[in-house]
Amino acid sequence: MTGDTAEAEDLTQEAFLQLFRKISTFRGESAFSTWLHRLVVNVVLMHLRKKDIPRVSLDEMDNSQEEPVKREYGDDDRRLLGSVDRISLHNAIEELPPGYRAIFVLHDVEGYEHNEIAQIMNCSVGNSKSQLHKARVKLREVLRRDENKLARQATPARRKAQ
Amino acid sequence: MIDEGVEEDMKLGNACEKFEANLASYLEGDSNPEALSHASECDFCRCLLADLDLIRKVSPELGTEEPPARVWANVRAVLIEEGIVHDPVSFWRRWAPWGSRSLVRHPAPFAAAAAAAVMAVVLFKAPGYLVHSNAPPANVIHSVVFTQDYMAPRDISSLRLTIQQLEQAYRANEASLEPSMKATYQKSLDSLDGEIRECELSMKQQPENDLAREYLSTAYVQKAELLQSALEYNLR
């Protein structure tokens, strides 16, 4: 969520401190993992607030970013390479807007269900679903852009070799 | 009149829009034969479906990253500082609660002082009270060299064996000691045995606890020296 390793370490530390300080407030109304995730999200949001980073609620974001999948002429039948490697996927995830990134990581990487994500992120189930889809589409765009970049870099080198 | 090609494109465009609208739910596992049928006709939509499916399948492989050990160490340190969790009370803190913070960092001088104190009690009391006897000399006490430095488990077990032999020899001779002297030795031995038990328990619970290992080896050394001194005075 932060896109910065040192910051993520500090926040992990703060989140676990909060966990120990607030464990007595856990009433078992949701799964413990959901409660813990919610606590972590709150720690991150507090941090962003302190840094004065503008935050957009997930519901607002959902309405403001309705856009169809980009269609590029002449590129219709080119698929992503079958082997999307971990590094390029990791880099692409880092480029996602924070809201998309959080939902994508929770669902597709960590395996949370939409109803759990809705509780963690304080949004509706429908919103979680639509954000996830947009996150995947956005990731595809980033991955394709990076593949194109690599292909362009490789072409002059091949020409030189010939 | 609309050109046939344009009409075909419009139809395809509408189908693509419909496909996109249903794509999210299809990827979530909803059955949608219409979406699949469109994907088989439209190159763009087929690629889109295959790519999103690929992303969905590859992502779980990313897994989660474990924070470095320093994060947990910091968390523990802060929690101890705040009194939310407590360090297990170790024997040396019970022994020396006044100096647990400063001495534990430098256990060697502390251990040396403790050993010296035990030895001093024994040496100052021994000459006057020791009763010479004809008990057989203990030949196991020769060439016993002790060190208070860190000892590997193998060294600790060989030291334990030496102490066993010294103790057997001491038990064989203790009857010849004057009762009050014997009581002083026994008190010191009991105290050291208690210390050894606590260290061994700590090491059993935390095999990586270097401090417990260090204190255990120090306690063994102290016990060996105490037994050795008792046997030496008995031989005089």
Side-chain angles (χ1 to χ4, degrees):
Chain A
M1 282 172 89
T2 63
D4 180 280
T5 310
E7 224 171 300
E9 280 181 19
D10 287 347
L11 290 172
T12 305
Q13 191 176 315
E14 185 53 33
F16 275 90
L17 288 173
Q18 292 290 344
L19 163 69
F20 277 90
R21 288 170 189 149
K22 293 185 174 176
I23 187 80
S24 58
T25 65
F26 174 64
R27 292 191 295 271
E29 287 164 358
S30 60
F32 181 74
S33 52
T34 309
W35 181 80
L36 177 58
H37 253 290
R38 181 72 222 155
L39 185 141
V40 174
V41 169
N42 281 340
V43 168
V44 175
L45 292 180
M46 286 293 287
H47 172 76
L48 295 179
R49 194 176 297 159
K50 274 183 199 162
K51 282 178 72 177
D52 213 21
I53 292 173
R55 289 163 298 112
V56 181
S57 88
L58 288 176
D59 290 306
E60 279 174 46
M61 210 165 109
D62 194 31
N63 297 329
S64 62
Q65 296 191 10
E66 286 287 355
E67 54 183 54
V69 177
K70 281 181 190 165
R71 290 170 182 264
E72 292 159 36
Y73 291 102
D75 208 23
D76 283 1
D77 56 352
R78 204 179 61 76
R79 283 173 53 177
L80 282 172
L81 293 176
S83 56
V84 173
D85 65 275
R86 285 160 55 106
I87 296 170
S88 50
L89 184 57
H90 190 271
N91 291 341
I93 290 172
E94 282 194 354
E95 285 194 38
L96 288 177
Y100 285 0
R101 185 162 61 218
I103 288 181
F104 178 81
V105 170
L106 285 170
H107 189 278
D108 277 9
V109 179
E110 295 186 11
Y112 280 86
E113 299 294 334
H114 284 293
N115 59 339
E116 293 173 304
I117 295 171
Q119 281 188 46
I120 293 167
M121 301 299 290
N122 210 13
C123 64
S124 65
V125 170
N127 192 280
S128 171
K129 284 182 179 176
S130 88
Q131 295 282 313
L132 174 68
H133 181 62
K134 286 172 186 172
R136 286 174 180 158
V137 171
K138 180 82 184 157
L139 269 181
R140 178 181 184 251
E141 274 175 41
V142 176
L143 288 165
R144 282 168 71 96
R145 183 203 65 200
D146 290 348
E147 270 189 8
N148 286 339
K149 215 185 277 177
L150 278 175
R152 274 198 298 273
Q153 282 168 356
T155 314
R158 227 178 292 148
R159 275 188 200 143
K160 264 186 188 175
Q162 283 168 357
Chain B
M1 196 172 159
I2 302 171
D3 185 83
E4 262 183 41
V6 174
E7 199 177 356
E8 190 62 30
D9 280 353
M10 277 174 70
K11 267 188 197 169
L12 201 58
N14 289 339
C16 289
E17 273 176 28
K18 206 173 169 188
F19 171 81
E20 276 180 37
N22 292 321
L23 185 56
S25 62
Y26 176 72
L27 287 166
E28 288 295 308
D30 290 356
S31 120
N32 194 332
E34 213 180 315
L36 270 183
S37 127
H38 173 71
S40 67
E41 291 167 2
C42 171
D43 286 342
F44 182 90
C45 293
R46 187 172 59 248
C47 288
L48 178 65
L49 177 63
D51 288 350
L52 296 187
D53 210 27
L54 177 69
I55 290 169
R56 187 173 62 94
K57 283 175 181 158
V58 169
S59 300
E61 289 171 21
L62 281 178
T64 47
E65 261 178 66
E66 188 66 23
R70 66 174 171 274
V71 171
W72 307 127
N74 288 343
V75 168
R76 186 173 171 73
V78 173
L79 292 174
I80 289 171
E81 193 74 29
E82 291 179 3
I84 295 170
V85 297
H86 300 281
D87 230 354
V89 180
S90 31
F91 82 89
W92 53 85
R93 292 210 174 175
R94 279 191 300 236
W95 258 49
W98 68 88
S100 57
R101 280 182 184 275
S102 56
L103 290 174
V104 163
R105 286 186 200 146
H106 308 287
F110 174 56
V118 173
M119 291 295 286
V121 170
V122 171
L123 293 174
F124 281 109
K125 290 193 90 176
Y129 293 104
L130 200 65
V131 177
H132 291 275
S133 74
N134 295 324
N139 55 6
V140 291
I141 59 170
H142 305 301
S143 70
V144 179
V145 180
F146 301 112
T147 169
Q148 288 186 11
D149 293 334
Y150 168 84
M151 292 186 184
R154 202 185 57 173
D155 299 320
I156 284 181
S157 52
S158 70
L159 188 54
R160 200 179 284 142
L161 186 69
T162 306
I163 286 169
Q164 258 178 11
Q165 293 171 329
L166 281 167
E167 200 153 26
Q168 277 171 7
Y170 170 74
R171 296 295 168 205
N173 291 278
E174 68 178 335
S176 59
L177 287 171
E178 197 275 328
S180 62
M181 189 63 216
K182 187 179 155 188
T184 306
Y185 270 119
Q186 195 53 54
K187 202 176 167 188
S188 301
L189 283 172
D190 288 345
S191 167
L192 284 168
D193 283 341
E195 190 177 324
I196 288 168
R197 272 196 301 277
E198 287 193 73
C199 284
E200 283 176 337
L201 187 67
S202 295
M203 282 190 60
K204 205 173 176 183
Q205 287 165 347
Q206 298 169 285
E208 302 304 316
N209 189 338
D210 287 343
L211 204 55
R213 188 190 302 280
E214 197 171 348
Y215 273 91
L216 178 63
S217 63
T218 302
Y220 275 141
V221 169
Q222 286 171 4
K223 187 174 176 182
E225 283 175 347
L226 187 65
L227 290 166
Q228 195 174 12
S229 80
L231 289 166
E232 276 172 354
Y233 279 108
N234 218 3
L235 286 173
R236 285 179 190 170

